[in-house]
């Protein structure tokens, strides 16, 4: 779809998940968020709601840890019901994210996924290549990228990146 104007893009790394353990999760895509990870991310999401009260659409990797994170965003921020997006799964190339974004015409999109995928996508959008810009997204962190026009290499500008600790502090400061 042709995009008029800019896209506000929020890159959300999934909350803290259980450690990879092939004996417990032979299929790593089933590995869940821990109870503590869910609790801490809910507090971060309350802080995020102060920065970003609403988005038009939430796209998420179908991996359990990302999907659970997207559901927490829905429950805590009031953002829309997540939609599964295979292009965001761990191990996919960042270019697949550009393709998924080109299919959207919303003005604000949240992508919930994994590292290093999200940092590579931000680098591709902002610096023109996947490994040009160094960006660290801790579990539960969010980066805000404004894309001018069509989502393509070099069309983005990183506005901010916030660690979950800061988002949780925003939640505590809301009282």
């Amino acid at each position: 779809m042709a995009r008029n104007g800019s896209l506000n893009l929020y890159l959300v790394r999934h909350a803290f998940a259980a450690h990879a353990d092939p004996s417990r999760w032979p299929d790593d895509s089933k590995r869940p968020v821990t109870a503590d990870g869910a609790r801490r991310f809910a507090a971060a999401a309350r802080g995020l709601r102060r920065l970003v009260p609403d988005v038009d659409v939430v796209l998420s990797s179908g991996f359990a840890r990302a999907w659970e994170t997207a559901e927490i965003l829905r429950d805590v921020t009031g953002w829309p019901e997540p939609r599964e997006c295979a292009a965001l799964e761990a191990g996919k190339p960042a270019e697949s994210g550009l393709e998924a974004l080109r299919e959207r015409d919303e003005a604000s999109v949240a992508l919930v996924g994994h590292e290093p995928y999200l940092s590579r996508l931000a680098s591709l959008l902002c610096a023109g290549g996947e490994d040009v810009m160094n960006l660290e997204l801790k579990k539960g962190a969010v980066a805000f990228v404004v894309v001018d026009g069509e989502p393509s290499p070099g069309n983005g500008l990183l506005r901010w990146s916030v660690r979950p600790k800061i988002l949780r502090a925003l939640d505590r400061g809301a009282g």
Side-chain angles (χ1 to χ4, degrees):
M1 294 180 183
R3 178 178 310 281
N4 295 325
S6 62
L7 165 66
N8 290 331
L9 180 62
Y10 301 93
L11 305 174
V12 182
R13 185 171 180 195
H14 67 76
F16 188 81
H19 293 288
D21 181 351
S23 66
R24 291 181 71 190
W25 297 285
D27 178 353
D28 188 56
S29 72
K30 307 295 186 206
R31 188 162 44 98
V33 168
T34 64
D36 185 55
R39 180 189 57 76
R40 292 167 63 94
F41 186 74
R46 286 189 296 272
L48 177 61
R49 181 178 54 202
R50 295 183 71 190
L51 296 175
V52 186
D54 195 26
V55 298
D56 296 327
V57 67
V58 176
L59 304 177
S60 178
S61 158
F63 283 32
R65 53 197 179 272
W67 190 258
E68 291 169 12
T69 301
E71 289 179 325
I72 294 168
L73 283 170
R74 176 203 60 212
D75 295 345
V76 171
T77 65
W79 288 4
E81 187 77 30
R83 298 179 188 179
E84 188 170 345
C85 181
L88 300 176
E89 292 175 357
K92 299 280 181 153
E95 182 69 36
S96 66
L98 293 182
E99 293 302 321
L101 289 171
R102 288 179 187 132
E103 295 173 2
R104 313 297 316 177
D105 63 356
E106 292 88 358
S108 61
V109 176
L111 302 181
V112 182
H114 313 271
E115 277 297 290
Y117 177 93
L118 292 173
S119 293
R120 288 181 176 157
L121 178 59
S123 181
L124 183 61
L125 283 166
C126 297
E130 287 188 25
D131 296 315
V132 179
M133 181 176 80
N134 290 323
L135 176 66
E136 178 185 31
L137 287 176
K138 300 254 182 205
K139 292 179 177 92
V142 181
F144 173 41
V145 175
V146 176
V147 180
D148 186 24
E150 189 74 15
S152 60
N155 268 7
L157 173 65
L158 178 66
R159 290 292 203 182
W160 48 256
S161 175
V162 182
R163 292 175 178 253
K165 182 177 183 177
I166 294 170
L167 292 171
R168 290 191 302 272
L170 287 172
D171 174 44
R172 287 190 299 276

